[in-house]
Every structure is written in structure tokens, then in C-alpha cells.
Amino acid sequence: MYNISEIRQIHLETTSLCQSRCPQCGRYDFDEDGKLIINPKITDRNGKSGLDQIYFSDFYNWFKPKFVSQLDSLYMCGNFGEPILARDCLKIFAYLRTFNPRMALSLNTNGGYRPKEWWQKLAKLKVETTFGIDGLEDTHSLYRVKVPWKRVIENAQSFIDAGGKAKWQMLVFKHNEHQMKECEKMSKEMGFYSFVYEHTTRFGENSYPKWPVINPKGEITHYLEPSSVSSEGYSDISNGWEESTKTKQTIECSARRDRELYISANGTVLPCCHIDSCISMFQFDDIADYKKKIDMYPSLHKQTLEEIFKSLYFRKIEGTWSKEPLSVCSKMCGKETGTWLNNMTSQSKYIEF
């Protein structure tokens, strides 16, 4: 696929901790009584069900200054956690900026934590930041459960006022679609450099006309419904998922194209976040397919990056592409049937000021 000297981008899931309870997030599951619990497939560095985070000492041991100097970018996002909850989030960014002043650093966040001084320091490190703000005060927390809108706005303003480059990203549902223009206007007035609205793909993925929002007691508090407002080129993704697993695909791997590595919060190394979600969420066919064809889960807590590459893990994944690609690779990066990623991109609209 590529070798260590060719890596140019790191996608880092700094933690699997999160203060929010976004209803469609894969970090949650339900127990036998219907009560909300953490997804038991999420594991810590010891392989046990539980949450974890990457400390500065971990990151420094894995990625020395010489390796950092070859990178073009690092972004903190991930599948399950909120990056700013990681104890050493800011310290890791500072280390990267020290040993590679030219590299692009970015962060995706719900923005609902940390004091304003923390956000000012983040701005000084030139970390481009995407704030997930899904509406105005009366609608935002219907999806971003437990994330206070006023706190997010205050933090975003502190970041922008300190010179930070910020993007407002809005997930659009039926309950907040009427606020799109007002959110766009507010983002411009606050000093965000861009505004993007996106339609979640997860209604199509699960064929749910409504998505129940359930509190920790197992009670339904309200329902989510997909937006009726479409961006240009918007399309339902449900057909693409079915077709992509039935047809032999030519794989155009985005991780190979971008020379990217994905590091999960428990230290697992993967080409991309999509393979991580395949083995940690609830796509059971994908889990079985991965176990049958690969069944390797390399961790930086147990092996060095050099040892992981020598294990031919990445070559084993690439080796499936010419015969019977991993189903997750077909869904995400298959060329023939129209991929999930292409469909997801068509469900968003980007506005730069």
C-alpha cells in the first residue's frame, strides 16, 4: 500500500470519551432492558470493553520528531470520541507545531467543553477547527444531547477572536432545517470563515423513517426525522450500500491516495476510520468479512509502527482488492457502483465567506 517514509497524513482519534449523547453515534448501544450503554465493541488499550485516550507520552513514543517532520497534516476527529476531552489534546498539537511548523493541523469538535483560555491557545497553534453546531439554541441539543449551545457559541467566539480559523458545520434534520439561513448568517457575523450543512447518512443506512432519541433510563424523549431540504445533487445512499457489496469493485483507496494512517483511541493502527468503524460498530456482515479475510488488529501499545508495517498488515488488506475486496473497502472506495463516500459528499453544501 505504502511504506512509513511515504506517510503524509495522520487521522487521530485522541479519545473515545465524549460528554454528548448524539443519538446516531456508534458509541452507544442498549442493554436487555432498553437502557442506554456504551457500545461494548469499543475497547481500551488492553482489549477490554471500555473507553480510552491517547496521552502525550503515548504519542511521543509512537511518533518521534523525525517522523513528525515528514507529515503534511494531522487532524483529530475519529469515530466515537470528542477530541477536546482528551487530557493532552493541546499538548499534542503544541508538539506537532514545534517540530513541524508548516504542517496543517485541524480539529472537529462539538465545542462544548474547556475554558476560553484553552480555545485561545488552540487558535495560537493555528489549528483549523470545525465546530458541529446543529441549529440555534432551541434545536441544537435535540441532536447534540447535553452540549449547551451558549457554551459552544462562547467557545467558538473566543477561538475566532484569538485569530483562529473556524468552520461551522450543521447537520440538518427536519427539526432544524428552517434555521439553515439564520445559522449561515450568524456564522458569517461571528467570523467563521465558512459554513457547511450536511444531511446525515444514517437514516438511509438503517432505513429508519424516524430515529428514536432515548435517554439513559430507556425512555423515548423525541424523534429525529430526515430533512426535506436538499442540497444540489443530494441523493439517498441506501441503494449504494447494497450494490457495492454485490459487485466486484475496483478500489480507489482514499488512504493510499492521501498516504494516511488512522490511529484509534486505543492505539489500533488502520488505513482509515471506516475500517475501524466496521469492526467496532454494528455492521455485522462487515465484521465477519474482516475477520475472515484479515483478522489482524495491530496496536501501537504492543508493536512499533515499523513492526506493524513489517507484519504485512497493510499488504494483506490491499491483497483483497484484486479478487474479493473487503466489503467495507467496496462500500467506501469502490469505483463502479457509486461509493458511500461520494454519496455522502453529495449530501452537503459548502459556503466560504
Side-chain angles (χ1 to χ4, degrees):
M1 187 177 282
Y2 40 73
N3 57 50
I4 293 177
S5 64
E6 294 176 312
I7 297 168
R8 293 294 177 265
Q9 180 167 283
I10 299 290
H11 180 180
L12 187 70
E13 182 179 48
T14 325
T15 182
S16 46
L17 300 167
C18 188
Q19 85 279 36
S20 181
R21 292 201 312 266
C22 299
Q24 294 179 320
C25 180
R27 74 193 302 273
Y28 293 108
D29 194 8
F30 301 96
D31 64 15
E32 294 178 353
D33 297 322
K35 293 183 179 179
L36 204 63
I37 60 171
I38 298 296
N39 176 359
K41 293 184 182 299
I42 301 175
T43 58
D44 63 16
R45 65 188 62 199
N46 298 311
K48 298 180 180 179
S49 293
L51 306 178
D52 210 334
Q53 63 180 296
I54 294 171
Y55 298 103
F56 176 74
S57 58
D58 297 323
F59 191 83
Y60 180 78
N61 288 334
W62 300 340
F63 305 117
K64 299 296 186 184
K66 182 179 178 181
F67 177 84
V68 168
S69 68
Q70 80 181 40
L71 297 175
D72 292 330
S73 63
L74 178 142
Y75 63 105
M76 293 187 188
C77 184
N79 285 324
F80 305 113
E82 169 51 55
I84 65 174
L85 264 68
R87 186 190 71 184
D88 295 337
C89 172
L90 204 62
K91 194 171 182 179
I92 290 171
F93 276 133
Y95 168 67
L96 292 164
R97 184 57 75 212
T98 298
F99 290 99
N100 192 336
R102 64 172 178 79
M103 75 183 296
L105 300 177
S106 58
L107 169 74
N108 283 56
T109 178
N110 64 43
Y113 185 60
R114 299 289 185 184
K116 67 178 184 179
E117 294 79 12
W118 190 94
W119 291 100
Q120 292 166 349
K121 290 177 182 178
L122 186 71
K124 299 302 181 186
L125 289 170
K126 301 187 185 309
V127 179
E128 184 174 329
T129 300
T130 299
F131 289 84
I133 310 175
D134 302 330
L136 301 177
E137 186 173 6
D138 61 327
T139 62
H140 172 72
S141 294
L142 293 176
Y143 183 72
R144 303 276 173 175
V145 179
K146 293 186 68 179
V147 180
W149 185 84
K150 284 185 178 179
R151 179 77 179 275
V152 178
I153 297 300
E154 289 171 359
N155 287 341
Q157 194 66 70
S158 295
F159 177 77
I160 293 168
D161 290 348
K165 187 176 182 181
K167 178 169 72 175
W168 180 315
Q169 183 181 58
M170 178 181 179
L171 284 177
V172 183
F173 300 90
K174 185 177 180 179
H175 66 259
N176 65 3
E177 60 185 21
H178 62 290
Q179 297 177 337
M180 291 165 60
K181 286 297 181 184
E182 195 172 349
C183 288
E184 180 186 336
K185 180 175 180 288
M186 184 177 180
S187 68
K188 187 174 183 179
E189 291 172 347
M190 287 181 63
F192 283 85
Y193 82 91
S194 68
F195 175 84
V196 60
Y197 67 83
E198 296 184 350
H199 298 261
T200 175
T201 60
R202 295 185 180 180
F203 289 106
E205 176 185 340
N206 295 284
S207 300
Y208 287 160
K210 289 185 177 183
W211 193 295
V213 180
I214 300 174
N215 66 22
K217 297 179 180 179
E219 302 164 337
I220 296 176
T221 58
H222 58 283
Y223 289 88
L224 300 178
E225 297 182 63
S227 170
S228 59
V229 178
S230 297
S231 57
E232 185 178 351
Y234 174 77
S235 58
D236 190 342
I237 67 153
S238 55
N239 292 333
W241 277 79
E242 295 252 346
E243 230 175 291
S244 65
T245 58
K246 295 176 182 177
T247 308
K248 183 177 179 180
Q249 296 283 299
T250 299
I251 304 300
E252 296 185 339
C253 176
S254 60
R256 182 169 65 177
R257 178 196 65 210
D258 298 334
R259 298 293 189 264
E260 177 180 294
L261 281 183
Y262 175 78
I263 316 297
S264 73
N266 62 9
T268 302
V269 179
L270 301 148
C272 65
C273 65
H274 307 295
I275 294 180
D276 182 46
S277 67
C278 134
I279 60 180
S280 302
M281 292 193 196
F282 303 103
Q283 291 92 6
F284 297 110
D285 290 344
D286 289 346
I287 293 172
D289 183 65
Y290 182 88
K291 184 171 181 61
K292 176 183 176 183
K293 295 173 183 174
I294 309 298
D295 201 25
M296 296 175 70
Y297 310 87
S299 170
L300 286 167
H301 289 296
K302 299 176 183 178
Q303 299 169 277
T304 65
L305 193 58
E306 290 80 4
E307 289 170 339
I308 291 170
F309 271 86
K310 286 179 181 178
S311 73
L312 302 181
Y313 167 69
F314 294 98
R315 297 290 182 189
K316 192 171 183 180
I317 292 174
E318 186 177 15
T320 69
W321 297 345
S322 60
K323 298 176 183 177
E324 188 181 348
L326 282 172
S327 60
V328 65
C329 294
S330 294
K331 289 175 181 178
M332 301 302 169
C333 295
K335 180 180 178 182
E336 280 77 15
T337 62
T339 67
W340 183 87
L341 281 178
N342 287 336
N343 277 305
M344 183 175 70
T345 302
S346 74
Q347 297 186 75
S348 65
K349 187 172 182 178
Y350 176 84
I351 302 163
E352 188 165 343
F353 304 124

